[in-house]
Amino acid sequence: MNRNVATIPQDLIAALKKAKHVVVFTGAGVSAESGIPTFRDSLTGLWERFHAEDLATPGAFHKDKELVWGWYEWRRMKVSQAQPNPAHIAVATLATLVPKLTIVTQNVDDLHERAGSTDVLHLHGSLHSPRCATCGQAHILPPGIPVEPEGGRRSSPPVCICGGLVRPGVVWFGEDLPVRELRQAFEAAQKCDLLFAIGTSGLVQPAARIPSLAKQAGACVVQVNPTSTELDRECTWSVRGGAGEIMPNLLQAAFGPA
Ligand SMILES: [Zn+2]
């Protein structure tokens, strides 16, 4: 038994073995393990005098569409160049080992999908699903990875068939979370018997309610994170460490070698 398996509580392993409906709630820490910058990282190149919070707003897009669209295309390139890590793969595998699994993510990349997961609830939208800012029509991006200079560039957003401009398909500061995804996430949290909160600080509302809802409904809540967070008090178990190590070890402990 290696060190990491030893740190996983035996009663967590037992709970996972008999779980009927597992919810996996993921945040920026899971993407960071694939090398994707988080909002906490400072911006460089063309955007070095900005904070991420200043670019991810409807007002910023209104004021300087080329600056904001260029930033999102650069981010889409970074995500497309990144690969799912062992945590994404373990979550996709877990879906084949338990009767029901719901993935709820705060991440705007497609790494869960590229690891093989389906029906991922994206609470903050996606870099890969832009839409018209005027009529809401989905915009189909050209296939392949965008080619952007490392330091970024200004870039004009595409024009919709209605004449409106296309905007990133993410939820910006000051915007509401998508109603359908949020409702499905709350329902899953209230019906599950085991919820994993992985790589999320649990601070951003209303998504941060998801672990509390699960706990109130009687589910066990497991946190997997390298550091302590606001979620600690909601958790049945807190497992300290990178999800890319902990999740594969947990699966092996509960279900045997893959
Ligand atoms: Zn349109």
Side-chain angles (χ1 to χ4, degrees):
M1 188 179 277
N2 70 32
R3 179 177 55 85
N4 289 304
V5 173
T7 65
I8 296 173
Q10 286 299 319
D11 47 354
L12 164 56
I13 295 167
L16 179 57
K17 277 181 172 172
K18 66 176 194 217
K20 299 281 189 289
H21 182 182
V22 175
V23 170
V24 177
F25 177 46
T26 62
V30 177
S31 297
E33 289 187 43
S34 285
I36 294 175
T38 72
F39 266 34
R40 289 192 302 275
D41 298 323
S42 50
L43 302 181
T44 56
L46 180 62
W47 307 286
E48 74 179 342
R49 60 197 175 85
F50 296 93
H51 294 290
E53 292 86 346
D54 300 330
L55 294 173
T57 69
F61 185 65
H62 184 73
K63 187 173 156 199
D64 194 339
K65 294 177 176 62
E66 288 79 14
L67 184 77
V68 171
W69 183 260
W71 185 52
Y72 278 93
E73 283 295 274
W74 179 86
R75 289 178 60 196
R76 190 164 69 86
M77 173 180 75
K78 289 289 174 195
V79 161
S80 302
Q81 290 169 339
Q83 297 301 325
N85 66 58
H88 295 106
I89 293 163
V91 171
T93 305
L94 182 57
T96 68
L97 298 170
V98 296
K100 184 173 169 65
L101 182 133
T102 307
I103 300 175
V104 181
T105 189
Q106 296 169 293
N107 298 332
V108 295
D109 55 62
D110 59 355
L111 293 176
H112 279 301
E113 286 88 345
R114 282 162 56 204
S117 293
T118 52
D119 299 328
V120 181
L121 297 173
H122 281 272
L123 295 184
H124 293 169
S126 168
L127 292 170
H128 306 276
S129 56
R131 64 176 188 275
C132 175
T134 303
C135 74
Q137 175 76 35
H139 176 79
I140 308 298
L141 292 162
I145 299 176
V147 180
E148 298 292 323
E150 197 53 42
R153 64 173 170 179
R154 303 171 65 84
S155 176
S156 297
V159 178
C160 175
I161 198 165
C162 80
L165 289 176
V166 171
R167 58 159 283 176
V170 300
V171 177
W172 278 329
F173 290 105
E175 294 185 317
D176 291 334
L177 271 58
V179 172
R180 182 182 65 87
E181 281 81 355
L182 195 59
R183 179 174 50 76
Q184 290 180 354
F186 284 169
E187 278 177 14
Q190 287 168 319
K191 286 179 183 165
C192 73
D193 42 15
L194 184 61
L195 180 139
F196 287 92
I198 309 179
T200 175
S201 64
L203 287 175
V204 186
Q205 292 292 352
R209 276 182 61 205
I210 288 169
S212 324
L213 284 172
K215 186 187 177 193
Q216 285 160 19
C220 295
V221 175
V222 191
Q223 175 172 232
V224 180
N225 211 62
T227 57
S228 80
T229 74
E230 288 292 308
L231 282 177
D232 287 359
R233 64 179 186 280
E234 306 284 351
C235 293
T236 319
W237 302 283
S238 278
V239 187
R240 292 273 173 269
E245 272 193 77
I246 302 291
M247 293 307 290
N249 285 335
L250 176 56
L251 259 62
Q252 181 165 354
F255 302 106

